[in-house]
Amino acid sequence: MTADSGETTGTMSIAKRRAIGVTAWIAAFVAYSFALGLPTTDPVLAFLWLWALTYAWNSHYPARRHLRFLRDWLPMILLLQVYNVSRGFADDGFVPHAAELIAFDAWMFGGHVPTVWLQEHLYDPAHVQWWDVVVSVVYFSHFVAALIVAVLLWLRDRPQWGRFTRRWFFLMFFGLLTYFLYPAAPPWWAAKYGMIEPIARISTRGWDLVGLHGAGNMLNKAQIGLSNPVAAMPSLHTAFALLVVAFFFPKVRKMWIPVLVVYPLAMTFTLVYSGEHWIIDVLVGWVYVAITFAVVGGAEKWWARRKRRKAEAAGPDPEVSPEREDEESVNAGSGPSPASPPR
């Protein structure tokens, strides 16, 4: 029996199986992270860890049920891999923009470049501060937040999973297109070539204080190897952070919205303080999120109207009873949950 966590499969309750499975997953993840670094920079590796987590949570399901995860996610993981590789070529043949970004940030803040000002007041090259740890954690979350939300939606509500992933990938490739059309350099690059006062790229230094040296090393290698040094505009780090929380705005009480907004604001501080992005990059990223919701939401409404018109034109299926139509309508609006029995 697999209906809910209070029932049993064999001689062990589902709740106990989940507790054992998730505990084992956490132990393996922590051991891996301390030994080799956080598995965040490679979408395939992140996918495998998340797939293992879904197995740990629903180990009572048959193998064919777990293979659905591979079937549903493989195209998206391949797209993420293409995105990661292709964005590294976005600067080929272009001269990066930087001067106008510096001018805009300075204009917004009374002649001060925010990254320079923040590092002058908060950055100590000789000591890692507690806020450096927070910055590193928030920066790291960019690589997993959208994936984790998508996995949870896949487990609980497949229609919502589809809505989220459509917005996620539209935003991703909208940003990638901009990287090709408007290659822009981040603050650390501008400082390297003397366009602003010297600053340090410090998005991963906080891991040293908590002993996760490998985490910072892995992210640093990815920054040097795969990342595009002139892909600052827009900031998809902040855009993804806003997307993750904005998707749930209509689903939570208004009192919780200010709490959710803390995450994209923390990401904004992280990116500006650590030298990864300008304020203008962040603002444009937020605009891209608004455009994404408008375009994808409009496309979904158009598609729903189109399907409805086609169904009305075709008329009712004489072989399907009204009761069966009602049942299918209800099933179409709700995805499978971990508590539903495998088929």
Side-chain angles (χ1 to χ4, degrees), residues 17 27-28 30 42 51 62 80 85 93 106 109-110 146 157 167 188 203 213 264 271 288 321:
R17 289 173 68 102
V30 171
D42 183 352
W51 191 11
L80 274 173
V85 174
F109 292 89
D157 193 333
R167 285 157 178 76
W188 64 263
S203 53
H213 308 288
L271 298 171
Y288 274 37
S321 65

Side-chain angles (χ1 to χ4, degrees), residues 137-184:
V137 171
V138 173
Y139 183 78
F140 153 75
S141 72
H142 162 73
F143 300 97
V144 296
L147 275 171
I148 290 173
V149 168
V151 166
L152 293 175
L153 289 174
W154 184 86
L155 286 169
R156 302 297 305 181
D157 193 333
R158 293 288 293 283
Q160 292 301 317
W161 170 75
R163 293 183 68 248
F164 179 80
T165 53
R166 284 191 288 272
R167 285 157 178 76
W168 183 19
F169 282 97
F170 180 89
L171 177 61
M172 184 187 308
F173 287 102
F174 192 15
L176 179 61
L177 177 63
T178 308
Y179 295 156
F180 281 94
L181 297 178
Y182 188 84

Side-chain angles (χ1 to χ4, degrees), residues 180-197:
F180 281 94
L181 297 178
Y182 188 84
W188 64 263
W189 189 96
K192 179 180 178 180
Y193 291 97
M195 302 182 73
I196 59 174
E197 292 88 336

Side-chain angles (χ1 to χ4, degrees), residues 59-70:
S59 61
H60 54 287
Y61 284 169
R64 66 179 183 277
R65 185 70 175 266
H66 295 290
L67 290 177
R68 293 183 187 177
F69 190 89
L70 177 63

Side-chain angles (χ1 to χ4, degrees), residues 269-292:
F269 172 82
T270 290
L271 298 171
V272 176
Y273 167 62
S274 63
E276 299 289 347
H277 282 282
W278 312 97
I279 289 291
I280 183 61
D281 302 336
V282 171
L283 298 179
V284 173
W286 290 350
V287 170
Y288 274 37
V289 174
I291 293 172
T292 295

Side-chain angles (χ1 to χ4, degrees), residues 238-282:
T238 336
F240 283 6
L242 182 58
L243 171 73
V244 164
V245 300
F247 184 79
F248 295 99
F249 283 173
K251 302 173 179 61
V252 300
R253 294 181 180 180
K254 291 183 179 180
M255 61 178 291
W256 292 109
I257 291 179
V259 177
L260 294 178
V261 169
V262 169
Y263 177 49
L265 292 179
M267 183 65 76
T268 297
F269 172 82
T270 290
L271 298 171
V272 176
Y273 167 62
S274 63
E276 299 289 347
H277 282 282
W278 312 97
I279 289 291
I280 183 61
D281 302 336
V282 171

Side-chain angles (χ1 to χ4, degrees), residues 26-40 128 132-134 136-141 202-221:
I26 292 173
F29 184 84
V30 171
Y32 182 98
S33 298
F34 273 95
L36 300 175
L38 294 166
T40 58
V128 179
D132 293 321
V133 177
V134 174
S136 292
V137 171
V138 173
Y139 183 78
F140 153 75
S141 72
I202 53 176
S203 53
T204 62
R205 75 189 304 251
W207 296 117
D208 292 339
L209 191 63
V210 295
L212 278 172
H213 308 288
N217 293 336
M218 181 175 284
L219 288 171
N220 288 337
K221 289 179 181 178

